């Protein structure tokens, strides 16, 4: 079975038009967050790259949901005194010289609320203050375009893609160390360093927006922790871990499932199993040209293996219905677990998987029907209906995600998001731009713009061979990503694993993560906050 790796790279979108001032769209916090905490996320909209602001704001807001509710609006619409209505404010400066309202600058300088400022336009705050270096103990210097590949943060060495280097990092020049706390250190290729971010009084500044070209173990984790500290001060620093056994269908090998169950149970490790209850090979790709279809109820030995797992700490979640779409190659061969179910894809001439947008039949009614059919297949097999959903290959349309939220309210994945779309059309154009989707993973529990609680999966999976032009990913790399995740307060180290890989590599990952001080818990425990 093929694994399509979820990309977490911010892609392009089209610029939106300016909107009249209106109440900022507001979104609730994740379970366990403080209902009394509210964060305002402000973003840029002008210039040829003005479209970047909204996706940045959504990603930042979703991180902020870990601590409480959040709202977003273009910074140009900011009104005097607005900060007073929130417990914290985050501004993403993505447009060089975005015209910032003086009311916003004055309220930030007032220092009555904690503010996180990312990247551009800090020089406007400096000019407005008049005494910025004396007040804050530092001043913005210049953009450093060295190929910084490492950010040191809370004892961790976090990676930074060389693709992010051309945009540079604005270097803070510290004038009075007594007033400044360094928030992360950027390391140049020659070993020299400079502050990646600084904190002084109520203002925290980071010299880039670390939301593009991110992977596991990225400096994005430092941003996630800074946001967490802003929106959830005093949070417990639990070190919890999750493991999910992936792509379990009617064609699964019961012996493999039992062997993995026995190992995890022996280590007292709760686990999840991502199950699709109907197997489809409509072209007979794996069955000598003979179309093959199987429901779970027709394979009692697999059902027994799943019950065996449930009795030993396993939780079944719904991984779609068939994990493929119709009889078309989407993108490979129309076979369950190889292909996408809720989103279109193809393989290009260079053998890369490219996303194409919603499948032809996509609609709320169609997606609801898939969920209902899947539930019926679980019941027919004598299994309880799952309460957690995972979209196959982590991909679905905005319409589908709303259905998943209505049907479950709880997902376990890395979400796929679309410029222009927010609930009730309250951001961008109001319509999803499926040509420029972007993904995001989370190191802790959040509630995303679809309204769903999202159980984190941020470490990826073991791959022993090259897949989709990605090199093999061995157990040591999963463990290294879990080590980087230690930099996140209350971070959850979460990975998934395919049962056909056997027990040995699973053992290396599980015991490596345990050796870092993490405790494996059920996914449902993390979902409570």
């Amino acid at each position: 079975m093929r694994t399509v790796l979820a990309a977490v790279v911010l892609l392009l979108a089209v610029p939106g038009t300016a909107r009249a001032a209106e109440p900022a769209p507001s979104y609730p916090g994740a379970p366990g967050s403080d209902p009394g905490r509210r964060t305002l996320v402000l973003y840029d909209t002008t210039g040829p790259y003005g479209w970047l602001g909204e996706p940045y704001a959504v990603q930042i807001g979703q991180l902020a949901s870990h601590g409480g509710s959040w709202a977003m609006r273009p910074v140009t619409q900011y009104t005097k005194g607005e900060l007073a209505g929130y417990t914290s404010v985050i501004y993403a400066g993505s447009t060089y010289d975005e015209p910032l309202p003086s009311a916003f600058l004055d309220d930030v300088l007032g220092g009555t609320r904690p503010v996180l400022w990312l990247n551009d336009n800090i020089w406007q705050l400096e000019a407005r203050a008049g005494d910025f270096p004396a007040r804050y103990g530092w001043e913005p210097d210049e953009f450093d375009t060295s190929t910084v590949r490492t950010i040191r943060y809370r004892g961790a060495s976090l990676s930074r893609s060389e693709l992010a280097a051309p945009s540079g990092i604005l270097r803070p020049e510290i004038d009075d160390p007594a007033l400044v706390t360094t928030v992360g250190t950027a390391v140049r290729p020659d070993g020299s360093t400079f502050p990646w971010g600084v904190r002084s009084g109520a203002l925290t500044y980071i010299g880039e927006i670390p939301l593009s070209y991110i992977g596991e173990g990225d400096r994005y984790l430092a941003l996630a922790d800074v946001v967490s500290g802003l929106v959830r001060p005093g949070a417990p620093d639990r070190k919890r871990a999750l493991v999910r056994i992936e792509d379990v269908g009617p064609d699964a090998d019961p012996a493999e499932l039992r062997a993995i169950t026995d190992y995890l149970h022996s280590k007292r490790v709760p686990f999840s199993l991502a199950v699709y209850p109907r197997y489809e090979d409509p072209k007979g790709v794996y069955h000598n040209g003979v179309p093959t279809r199987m429901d779970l109820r027709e394979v009692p030995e697999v059902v027994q293996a799943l019950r065996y797992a449930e009795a030993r700490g396993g939780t079944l979640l719904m991984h779609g219905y068939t994990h493929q779409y119709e009889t078309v190659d989407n993108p490979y061969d129309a076979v369950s677990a190889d292909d996408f179910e809720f989103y279109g894809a193809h393989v290009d001439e260079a053998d890369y998987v490219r996303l194409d947008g919603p499948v032809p039949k996509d609609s709320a009614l169609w997606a609801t029907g898939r969920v209902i059919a899947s539930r019926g297949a679980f019941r027919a097999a004598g299994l309880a209906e799952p309460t957690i959903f995972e979209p196959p290959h982590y991909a679905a349309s905005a319409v589908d995600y709303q259905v998943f939220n209505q049907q479950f309210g709880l997902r376990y994945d890395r979400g796929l998001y679309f410029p222009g779309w927010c609930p009730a059309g309250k951001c961008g154009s109001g319509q999803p731009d499926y040509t420029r989707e972007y993904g995001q993973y989370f190191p802790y529990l959040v509630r995303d713009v679809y309204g769903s609680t999202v159980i984190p999966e941020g470490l990826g999976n073991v791959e022993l061979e090259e897949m989709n032009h990605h090199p093999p990913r061995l157990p040591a790399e999963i463990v290294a990503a879990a080590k980087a995740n230690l930099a996140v307060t209350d971070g959850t180290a979460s990975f998934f694993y395919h049962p056909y890989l056997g027990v040995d590599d699973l053992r290396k990952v599980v015991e490596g993560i345990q050796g870092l001080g993490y405790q494996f818990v059920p996914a449902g425990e993390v979902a409570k906050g």
Side-chain angles (χ1 to χ4, degrees):
M1 299 299 179
R2 296 180 175 91
T3 299
V4 177
L5 301 179
V8 193
V9 176
L10 184 64
L11 303 177
L12 300 183
V14 294
T17 56
R19 298 174 65 92
E22 59 183 20
S26 187
Y27 308 96
S33 63
D34 184 348
R37 300 199 68 86
R38 301 178 66 226
T39 298
L40 176 63
V41 181
L42 298 169
Y43 60 98
D44 293 344
T45 54
T46 67
Y49 296 102
W51 52 265
L52 279 171
E54 179 204 309
Y56 283 149
V58 169
Q59 292 180 87
I60 291 166
Q62 290 177 154
L63 290 174
S65 74
H66 182 60
S69 63
W70 60 281
M72 58 184 281
R73 71 153 64 252
V75 69
T76 54
Q77 296 179 10
Y78 182 86
T79 57
K80 182 176 177 59
E82 197 170 357
L83 263 68
Y86 297 88
T87 50
S88 57
V89 177
I90 303 173
Y91 165 58
S94 57
T95 295
Y96 192 94
D97 276 344
E98 177 91 357
L100 302 183
S102 57
F104 171 59
L105 299 174
D106 290 342
D107 284 354
V108 171
L109 291 169
T112 60
R113 294 290 185 272
V115 175
L116 171 60
W117 190 302
L118 304 175
N119 200 35
D120 283 345
N121 306 318
I122 189 68
W123 48 86
Q124 295 186 43
L125 188 68
E126 178 188 29
R128 186 72 176 178
D131 62 347
F132 192 92
R135 185 185 301 199
Y136 292 102
W138 68 276
E139 56 188 311
D141 190 353
E142 61 183 17
F143 281 95
D144 192 306
T145 55
S146 304
T147 308
V148 172
R149 297 296 305 278
T150 301
I151 302 297
R152 295 176 185 159
Y153 179 82
R154 291 190 67 195
S157 292
L158 305 176
S159 63
R160 182 174 184 265
S161 171
E162 62 183 6
L163 296 174
S167 59
I169 300 173
L170 194 146
R171 186 172 64 241
E173 183 70 31
I174 297 177
D175 300 306
D176 186 351
L179 296 178
V180 181
T181 299
T182 298
V183 180
T185 301
V187 183
R188 301 186 184 94
D190 63 4
S192 61
T193 64
F194 63 91
W196 179 67
V198 290
R199 179 179 297 114
S200 181
L203 177 65
T204 300
Y205 175 76
I206 293 175
E208 65 168 335
I209 302 178
L211 288 170
S212 58
Y213 306 111
I214 64 176
E216 295 85 0
D218 190 85
R219 88 283 195 210
Y220 163 75
L221 295 174
L223 171 66
D225 187 64
V226 171
V227 171
S228 177
L230 188 73
V231 304
R232 199 179 187 186
D237 195 8
R238 299 163 293 186
K239 297 303 179 186
R240 299 181 292 183
L242 299 175
V243 55
R244 188 182 72 227
I245 306 306
E246 194 79 346
D247 290 343
V248 179
D251 58 324
D253 184 329
E256 291 175 348
L257 294 179
R258 287 176 178 268
I260 284 175
T261 294
D262 287 340
Y263 166 68
L264 293 173
H265 182 61
S266 74
K267 300 298 293 184
R268 298 182 179 179
V269 172
F271 58 101
S272 301
L273 299 103
V275 180
Y276 59 92
R278 183 173 177 84
Y279 173 82
E280 294 272 0
D281 180 3
K283 300 179 182 179
V285 172
Y286 294 123
H287 299 87
N288 298 317
V290 178
T292 302
R293 294 171 174 82
M294 289 184 290
D295 284 320
L296 267 179
R297 63 180 174 78
E298 300 174 282
V299 196
E301 57 272 24
V302 174
V303 174
Q304 291 167 6
L306 292 175
R307 289 175 178 157
Y308 183 83
E310 286 184 295
R312 289 159 178 79
T315 298
L316 307 189
L317 60 86
M318 185 184 293
H319 195 27
Y321 179 36
T322 64
H323 203 314
Q324 55 81 241
Y325 178 73
E326 299 287 312
T327 61
V328 301
D329 297 346
N330 190 38
Y332 296 115
D333 49 25
V335 178
S336 292
D338 284 4
D339 279 17
F340 291 76
E341 182 172 354
F342 292 93
Y343 211 71
H346 72 277
V347 179
D348 69 12
E349 294 179 354
D351 199 33
Y352 283 92
V353 174
R354 304 297 185 186
L355 300 182
D356 297 328
V359 295
K361 289 188 176 182
D362 188 62
S363 70
L365 183 61
W366 175 82
T368 301
R370 305 294 289 183
V371 170
I372 291 173
S374 186
R375 283 193 170 124
F378 276 94
R379 290 196 306 270
L383 298 169
E385 297 178 19
T387 59
I388 304 173
F389 191 83
E390 179 199 347
H393 290 323
Y394 290 169
S397 72
V399 170
D400 300 336
Y401 277 114
Q402 292 174 87
V403 168
F404 305 151
N405 181 49
Q406 293 163 0
Q407 295 288 324
F408 295 89
L410 184 59
R411 298 198 328 269
Y412 186 174
D413 66 348
R414 303 183 183 194
L416 194 62
Y417 305 98
F418 309 97
W421 187 90
C422 290
K426 290 186 177 180
C427 75
S429 65
Q431 297 296 320
D433 181 351
Y434 289 118
T435 68
R436 296 177 171 96
E437 66 280 323
Y438 59 97
Q440 185 176 14
Y441 74 83
F442 307 105
Y444 41 58
L445 192 74
V446 305
R447 190 188 301 275
D448 71 2
V449 290
Y450 301 120
S452 294
T453 299
V454 182
I455 299 170
E457 185 285 289
L459 304 184
N461 65 296
V462 173
E463 285 290 354
L464 301 182
E465 299 177 357
E466 180 179 302
M467 185 65 62
N468 307 132
H469 293 278
H470 290 268
R473 196 147 189 271
L474 304 179
E477 294 175 81
I478 307 294
V479 176
K483 184 177 181 180
N485 206 75
L486 289 170
V488 180
T489 303
D490 203 27
T492 299
S494 177
F495 75 102
F496 65 95
Y497 188 85
H498 291 89
Y500 57 76
L501 294 176
V503 172
D504 287 346
D505 288 314
L506 178 62
R507 179 183 293 111
K508 293 174 184 176
V509 178
V510 166
E511 295 176 19
I513 289 176
Q514 288 177 325
L516 295 172
Y518 288 98
Q519 179 183 2
F520 281 91
V521 298
E525 180 175 323
V526 172
K528 295 175 183 178

